[in-house]
Amino acid sequence: MAWAQAAEASGDPGRAAAAKARLWLDGPLASEGRVGGTARQLFLDMIGIALRTPAVGSNLDRAPAYGRLDVVTVPTLVVQGNLDFPHIQARSRHVAATVPGGSWHEIGGVGHLPALERPDEVASLVSNFLARYLG
């Protein structure tokens, strides 16, 4: 994390984008460069836009939703990669267990962005989940 924070603080957008790709795309529990090709280029393009865009304001949420998950009234699917940060994996399991009707699915071999790495698998999970609730 210190390496990623230093990259972001460096003011070098390329270095910051590479650090974010390492953590969020490859996953902190995998080797750097694990994801390549089109998925990596798409991530770098998207994060580059985000890094060059000035902040537009502050978060206006009055109370964090994480502590109020038990009042969510819609079925909820949580999909996570097993190469994501361990604390995010724990939060994902907590969300699925706390939201009434919550459902959790882990995808092996992916980081924080399963829909970018395995779009067909995630689309299938979402389609099957919706089919259960929409008839």
Side-chain angles (χ1 to χ4, degrees):
M1 288 301 297
W3 168 80
Q5 290 168 342
E8 191 154 348
S10 74
D12 176 352
R15 185 174 168 205
K20 290 184 180 299
R22 166 70 185 93
L23 293 177
W24 299 110
L25 184 60
D26 296 327
L29 302 180
S31 60
E32 183 172 3
R34 179 185 66 79
V35 178
T38 304
R40 189 170 207 86
Q41 190 57 54
L42 180 59
F43 178 87
L44 291 171
D45 291 346
M46 291 185 303
I47 201 66
I49 292 167
L51 290 170
R52 289 187 306 274
T53 302
V56 295
S58 51
N59 186 339
L60 300 178
D61 290 343
R62 296 189 188 266
Y66 192 74
R68 299 178 286 127
L69 294 170
D70 60 334
V71 301
V72 173
T73 59
V74 295
T76 302
L77 172 64
V78 179
V79 178
Q80 75 161 71
N82 73 334
L83 298 177
D84 202 349
F85 286 98
H87 71 278
I88 292 176
Q89 292 182 43
R91 288 178 186 169
S92 296
R93 287 187 295 275
H94 172 77
V95 168
T98 305
V99 170
S103 178
W104 175 80
H105 186 86
E106 180 177 79
I107 299 179
V110 301
H112 188 72
L113 303 169
L116 185 60
E117 285 192 69
R118 304 244 187 96
D120 293 340
E121 187 173 346
V122 172
S124 178
L125 287 169
V126 172
S127 293
N128 292 335
F129 180 80
L130 290 173
R132 280 187 294 194
Y133 294 99
L134 300 177

